[in-house]
Amino acid sequence: MRIDILTILPGLLESPLDHSILKRAREKGLVEVNVYNIRDYSQNKHKQVDDYVFGGGAGMVMCIEPVDILISKLKSEREYDEIIYTTPDGERLTQKTANYLSTLKNLIILCGHYKGIDQRIRDHLITREISIGEYVLTGGELAAAIITDSVCRLMPGVISDETSALTDSFQDNLLAPPVYTRPANYKGWKVPEILLSGNTEEIEKWRMEQSMEKTKKLRPDLLDD
Ligand code: ADE
């Protein structure tokens, strides 16, 4: 899978994409993630990428031209399954969306701009608008990093324990059960006895019960779907 991220602040994306699991996945060629600086495609001599709002108002709006030039260039090189725009007024990112996106081949993520982008970019170039939650960030870069992370970890081979992604919270509309590791007794805080029993069938049953209980208590809405 290939993810091309378009931004005016590439530095904001470097660190999240260059550590731990994502870094290894990229090095192993399991996913390809590229970051493009929209400013490099500005035709303006000052490399300007935003301008005043038509009709007046505070703040600057991202211009169409550099975004269109960059997206057109990328589209001439390969077909894209989705061109995503990160924005607080988009559809909320869920595990279901991440699962869907992980089945795609080529993806563009255009990072939102703090005041917004020219609506015509959204009308003519974008196929999907995603929000990572009901709060406003200074820009779409962190949202793009979160979408990329949630999608990349689902790609085969990215997480060493293949079954691990399947047992995540939300993957079957249930929150994940609690997990423990050594020592079995720390200052009298004990691991549930059943987990030390070696009885895999009973352990699976216990985990399912814990998942159900936790979901009922914390996210009963998940059980309605
Ligand atoms: N840009 C600013 N806030 C955002 C959010 N909550 N989700 C996605 N992109 C954003």
Side-chain angles (χ1 to χ4, degrees):
M1 161 173 226
R2 174 185 174 121
I3 303 179
D4 292 336
I5 306 178
L6 285 39
T7 172
I8 51 168
L9 299 165
L12 266 181
L13 284 153
E14 271 158 27
S15 178
L17 298 176
D18 208 28
H19 283 93
S20 180
I21 293 174
L22 235 59
K23 179 182 174 154
R24 245 177 298 130
R26 293 172 77 190
E27 283 170 356
K28 280 201 244 164
L30 299 171
V31 289
E32 182 181 345
V33 186
N34 306 295
V35 178
Y36 292 87
N37 190 345
I38 296 167
R39 209 172 287 282
D40 294 341
Y41 297 84
S42 170
Q43 305 299 294
N44 187 293
K45 74 169 184 283
H46 303 294
K47 292 281 163 206
Q48 195 183 339
V49 288
D50 52 11
D51 213 328
Y52 295 103
V53 199
F54 270 140
M60 305 288 274
V61 175
M62 195 187 284
C63 303
I64 303 182
E65 193 180 46
V67 176
D68 182 40
I69 289 174
L70 175 50
I71 291 181
S72 299
K73 172 186 126 65
L74 293 170
K75 276 165 117 179
S76 74
E77 292 163 357
R78 69 196 62 76
E79 258 183 55
Y80 286 90
D81 304 293
E82 295 278 9
I83 302 180
I84 294 167
Y85 173 57
T86 56
T87 174
D89 57 6
E91 66 173 286
R92 186 84 65 87
L93 178 67
T94 60
Q95 189 61 46
K96 199 170 154 210
T97 314
N99 290 347
Y100 158 70
L101 295 175
S102 77
T103 65
L104 305 179
K105 199 157 169 255
N106 298 313
L107 207 65
I108 286 176
I109 306 178
L110 171 63
C111 298
H113 189 55
Y114 68 101
K115 172 72 188 181
I117 61 173
D118 191 305
Q119 181 61 35
R120 290 167 291 180
I121 297 175
R122 298 170 74 163
D123 293 343
H124 298 287
L125 301 173
I126 298 299
T127 63
R128 207 166 180 129
E129 303 192 328
I130 295 181
S131 162
I132 60 159
E134 285 196 16
Y135 39 81
V136 180
L137 306 167
T138 51
E141 283 73 17
L142 297 178
I146 284 171
I147 296 168
T148 304
D149 187 290
S150 70
V151 170
C152 286
R153 64 187 292 286
L154 297 170
M155 302 302 297
V158 169
I159 293 182
S160 48
D161 178 358
E162 286 267 348
T163 61
S164 155
L166 295 174
T167 57
D168 290 338
S169 281
F170 306 112
Q171 210 45 284
D172 45 13
N173 268 5
L174 286 176
L175 299 181
V179 291
Y180 301 86
T181 187
R182 287 186 289 183
N185 184 348
Y186 179 76
K187 293 184 180 172
W189 303 341
K190 290 188 186 144
V191 167
E193 209 52 56
I194 178 81
L195 297 176
L196 311 174
S197 69
N199 185 336
T200 46
E201 214 170 290
E202 284 300 312
I203 290 172
E204 262 326 293
K205 203 170 131 221
W206 179 87
R207 286 187 171 142
M208 183 47 85
E209 285 163 6
Q210 291 289 316
S211 273
M212 279 301 278
E213 254 171 58
K214 199 167 153 187
T215 312
K216 257 190 231 158
K217 190 167 156 216
L218 301 174
R219 291 293 308 275
D221 56 297
L222 290 176
L223 300 170
D224 298 338
D225 289 354

